[in-house]
Amino acid sequence: LEEYIRAIDDEPVRSPRRGNKLREGDKVEARYRGKSKYYSGQIIRDRGDGTYDIEYDDGDREQRVVEDFIKPLGGSSSRPGTPRVSTSLLQVGDTIEARYRGRSRYYPGRISRVHADGTYDIDYDDGEKERGVIEEYIKVKNDLRSKSPSRSAQLCEGDKIEARYRGRSKYYPGRIARDRRDGTFDIDYDDGEKETRVLEEYIRVIDDEPVRSPRRGNKLREGDKVEARYRGKSKYYSGQIIRDRGDGTYDIEYDDGDKETRVQTSFIRAIGDIQSTRAMSPLNQSAFNIGEKVEARYRKRSRYYPGRIARVRADNTYDVDYDDGEIETSVEYHFIR
C-alpha cells in the first residue's frame, strides 16, 4: 500500500560526474548491492540500458548495477575512446608478475590471453589462474623475457632437452613432443609427465648427446629386432620395429610389453643378427600355416606354451592363440616350434 512507502529526500538522484560514458573495461568503484560503501572493480558489460555488470577486485560479481551507484576511478578516464592500451603491449607467453585479485603483493606468472579491452588472463606459477587483469596490476620481468637459451639451431620435435616444469626454477629432462609454431612447445618428460605450450626460454638443449644414426648398412625395417632408448633415457631395451613412420621415426614394441611411437633413429640400434634373421626367414624354409598346432615362447620367455597359428603376417611373424586363452601377436618364427 502507498501509505507503507516514503521517499528518501536526503539523497537526490544524480549521475556520476564524468566527461565520458562508462565503458566496458573501465576501472570503477561501486556500491555493492546498493549499500553505502564503495568497492573497487571493473565494468565487464554495458547492458545498454544505463546499467552495468561489474566484477569486483575481491572476486564477487554483480549484474545490472545502476549508473548512480558507480563512480569511475581516476586512472580509467585517461582515454577518450577505447580502453587504454600501453605503448608496449604485453603478449601471450610473456613472463610477468601481477597483483593477484588487485592485492598489494606481486606473484610470478605468464600471460595466457590478451583481451580486446586491454586486460589479460594470467597463469600463475603456483597453478592459480586469473582473468581480466588490468595492465596497471602487471609488471614485466625483463630479466626473463629478454633472453632465450643459446642454441645453434631451432628446437625440433624429438630433441632431448631439459625444461622448467610449470616455469619453476628446476630443470627436468624430457624431449620435444610438438612444436606449436608460436614459440612454445609440448614436452614429454622422462618421468612420464606431459606439459603443453612451454615457453622457449624455459627449455635448454642437452648438448652432450649429439644426434647420430646407428651404424648399419641397411635402413631399419618393420619387423627388425632392435634395442632402443625408451623415452630417450640412457638405457637400451630390446624390442621390435612395428611401424616405419617414413620420417626417420619408428614405432617400437618392447619385449616387456610396452609400446612407444615415433622413436628417433638416433635412439635405436640394430641387434647384430638382423641380417641373419632376415636370411633365415620362414620364406626360405617351411613356413607355419594358419591353424597349425605349435608351441611358442610366450613373450619370448624360456618356456614353450601350446597353441595354434592364428595369422601369418607379411613381415614373417605370426599371431598365436594359446590353449590357455592368451593371444600374442607378431611372434618371430624362431620362438615357435
Side-chain angles (χ1 to χ4, degrees):
L1 294 177
E2 190 174 2
E3 57 262 32
Y4 292 161
I5 305 171
R6 66 182 182 188
I8 299 177
D9 297 324
D10 60 349
E11 193 171 340
V13 176
R14 60 190 183 277
S15 295
R17 294 183 297 275
R18 61 176 70 87
N20 297 323
K21 183 178 180 294
L22 289 170
R23 294 187 174 90
E24 294 178 4
D26 277 355
K27 284 295 293 178
V28 296
E29 288 182 335
R31 292 164 51 188
Y32 180 65
R33 294 185 180 273
K35 297 175 182 175
S36 58
K37 185 176 177 180
Y38 283 87
Y39 296 87
S40 60
Q42 183 180 23
I43 303 288
I44 58 174
R45 182 176 177 185
D46 181 353
R47 293 280 182 171
D49 59 0
T51 65
Y52 302 85
D53 294 357
I54 296 178
E55 183 172 12
Y56 292 95
D57 291 347
D58 60 7
D60 282 329
R61 292 192 177 196
E62 189 175 15
Q63 296 180 343
R64 297 190 179 278
V65 181
V66 294
E67 193 170 5
D68 306 322
F69 292 162
I70 305 170
K71 62 183 182 182
L73 289 177
S76 63
S77 60
S78 60
R79 63 196 181 7
T82 58
R84 178 178 56 82
V85 177
S86 68
T87 55
S88 177
L89 191 66
L90 294 169
Q91 298 176 353
V92 173
D94 278 354
T95 302
I96 51 86
E97 289 183 337
R99 291 165 52 187
Y100 179 65
R101 292 185 179 272
R103 297 169 185 166
S104 58
R105 182 178 171 185
Y106 284 86
Y107 295 86
R110 64 178 177 179
I111 302 294
S112 62
R113 183 177 178 185
V114 179
H115 291 282
D117 62 359
T119 63
Y120 303 85
D121 292 357
I122 296 176
D123 290 347
Y124 291 95
D125 290 352
D126 60 7
E128 292 286 340
K129 298 177 184 288
E130 189 175 16
R131 297 181 56 191
V133 181
I134 57 175
E135 191 171 358
E136 52 258 41
Y137 287 166
I138 304 171
K139 63 183 182 181
V140 178
K141 295 178 70 173
N142 292 318
D143 57 331
L144 289 177
R145 188 181 178 188
S146 60
K147 60 180 184 292
S148 61
S150 59
R151 56 177 68 85
S152 57
Q154 186 182 6
L155 290 171
C156 299
E157 294 178 2
D159 278 356
K160 281 291 295 177
I161 51 84
E162 290 180 333
R164 291 166 51 189
Y165 180 65
R166 291 185 178 273
R168 297 169 184 164
S169 58
K170 184 176 177 181
Y171 283 86
Y172 296 86
R175 67 175 179 175
I176 302 294
R178 180 179 176 186
D179 181 352
R180 294 278 183 170
R181 310 298 179 189
D182 60 358
T184 65
F185 301 84
D186 295 357
I187 296 177
D188 290 347
Y189 291 95
D190 289 352
D191 60 6
E193 292 286 341
K194 297 178 184 286
E195 189 176 15
T196 60
R197 297 191 180 279
V198 180
L199 293 175
E200 191 172 4
E201 59 253 35
Y202 290 162
I203 304 171
R204 66 187 183 191
V205 178
I206 299 177
D207 296 321
D208 61 349
E209 196 169 334
V211 176
R212 59 190 182 278
S213 295
R215 295 183 295 274
R216 61 174 69 85
N218 297 324
K219 182 178 180 290
L220 289 170
R221 298 174 187 166
E222 294 178 4
D224 278 354
K225 284 291 294 178
V226 296
E227 289 181 333
R229 290 163 51 191
Y230 181 66
R231 290 187 178 273
K233 297 175 182 175
S234 57
K235 185 176 178 181
Y236 283 86
Y237 296 86
S238 59
Q240 182 181 25
I241 303 288
I242 58 175
R243 182 177 177 185
D244 180 353
R245 293 280 182 171
D247 59 359
T249 65
Y250 300 85
D251 295 357
I252 296 179
E253 183 173 11
Y254 292 95
D255 291 348
D256 60 7
D258 281 330
K259 292 188 179 183
E260 189 175 17
T261 60
R262 298 190 180 279
V263 181
Q264 285 184 291
T265 308
S266 50
F267 294 155
I268 305 171
R269 66 186 182 193
I271 292 178
D273 63 351
I274 286 178
Q275 295 302 320
S276 60
T277 299
R278 288 176 180 163
M280 294 171 61
S281 165
L283 291 179
N284 301 325
Q285 302 178 8
S286 57
F288 297 106
N289 298 315
I290 294 176
E292 187 173 349
K293 292 286 292 181
V294 296
E295 288 184 335
R297 290 165 54 186
Y298 180 66
R299 291 186 181 271
K300 304 174 180 60
R301 296 171 184 165
S302 58
R303 182 178 171 186
Y304 283 87
Y305 295 86
R308 66 177 182 174
I309 301 296
R311 179 181 176 185
V312 178
R313 294 184 177 266
D315 60 359
N316 302 322
T317 62
Y318 302 85
D319 294 358
V320 178
D321 288 349
Y322 292 96
D323 291 350
D324 61 5
E326 291 288 338
I327 296 175
E328 188 175 16
T329 61
S330 300
V331 181
E332 294 177 69
Y333 83 94
H334 47 84
F335 292 137
I336 305 173
R337 66 183 184 190

